[in-house]
Amino acid sequence: MRQETGGVTGTQDKDYNLIWFVEQCLSNVLRLENYIADAERAGDGELTEFFRRAQAESRKGAEQGKDFLRRRLAG
């Protein structure tokens, strides 16, 4: 079992982990924008739609994470 590192970061691990999750989801949204553009340029509609669905899921994860974080930090 690993120890809480909040003393090092100044933020409890669970809060840091949630912030990290939101950041990663948003980073994926941005990265997938490039992948979508590449697939569109290649004329690969199937891959374009796959990346768009993945991007929508990452955006959804970010929004859910932000909502969760708001509730946690407000309490």
Side-chain angles (χ1 to χ4, degrees):
M1 186 178 243
R2 76 183 176 95
Q3 282 195 319
E4 180 83 32
T5 57
V8 175
T9 65
T11 304
Q12 292 182 9
D13 282 351
K14 62 183 181 173
D15 295 335
Y16 172 83
N17 293 345
L18 191 50
I19 292 166
W20 177 89
F21 173 81
V22 170
E23 190 277 331
Q24 289 301 303
C25 286
L26 293 172
S27 178
N28 283 340
V29 170
L30 292 174
R31 179 173 286 124
L32 285 160
E33 193 65 30
N34 290 330
Y35 297 172
I36 290 165
D38 289 346
E40 285 176 337
R41 273 193 297 279
D44 192 332
E46 183 180 24
L47 189 57
T48 299
E49 286 308 308
F50 173 77
F51 285 140
R52 283 187 188 183
R53 285 191 309 273
Q55 186 182 49
E57 291 301 315
S58 288
R59 193 174 285 120
K60 180 179 166 183
E63 289 304 318
Q64 289 174 346
K66 288 190 299 185
D67 288 343
F68 198 91
L69 189 58
R70 267 193 226 72
R71 287 193 315 270
R72 284 290 177 108
L73 294 179

